[in-house]
Amino acid sequence: MLGRLGALFRPLTRRLHGDAGMNTAEYAVGTLAAVAFAAILLKVLTSPNIQKALTEVIEKALK
C-alpha cells in the first residue's frame, strides 16, 4: 500500500523539490518589500535633520 501511495506522490515531490527560483507570488512579495524599503529610505533621507547631517559630512570631507 505504501508503495502505491509513494508512486502517486513521487511526481509531485519531484516538481516541488525541483523548483529552483521564485514564482510569481514570491516576486510580488519581494518587489513589494523592496518598494517599501525604498519609500522608508527616501523618507529618512529627505528629512531635514538627515539632510543637515549629510551636508555637514560632505562639507567636512571637501575641506
Side-chain angles (χ1 to χ4, degrees):
M1 178 77 177
L2 189 57
R4 293 174 111 186
L5 192 58
L8 279 172
F9 287 109
R10 195 167 297 123
L12 178 62
T13 57
R14 280 188 193 145
R15 181 170 166 87
L16 290 175
H17 290 300
D19 189 16
M22 294 194 303
N23 62 30
T24 305
E26 291 167 333
Y27 275 116
V29 171
T31 302
L32 185 61
V35 169
F37 180 73
I40 292 169
L41 187 60
L42 180 66
K43 186 69 172 171
V44 167
L45 291 178
T46 56
S47 70
N49 292 336
I50 299 296
Q51 283 185 346
K52 182 180 175 189
L54 287 174
T55 303
E56 289 173 1
V57 168
I58 292 170
E59 285 176 353
K60 194 178 221 183
L62 292 175
K63 287 183 181 181

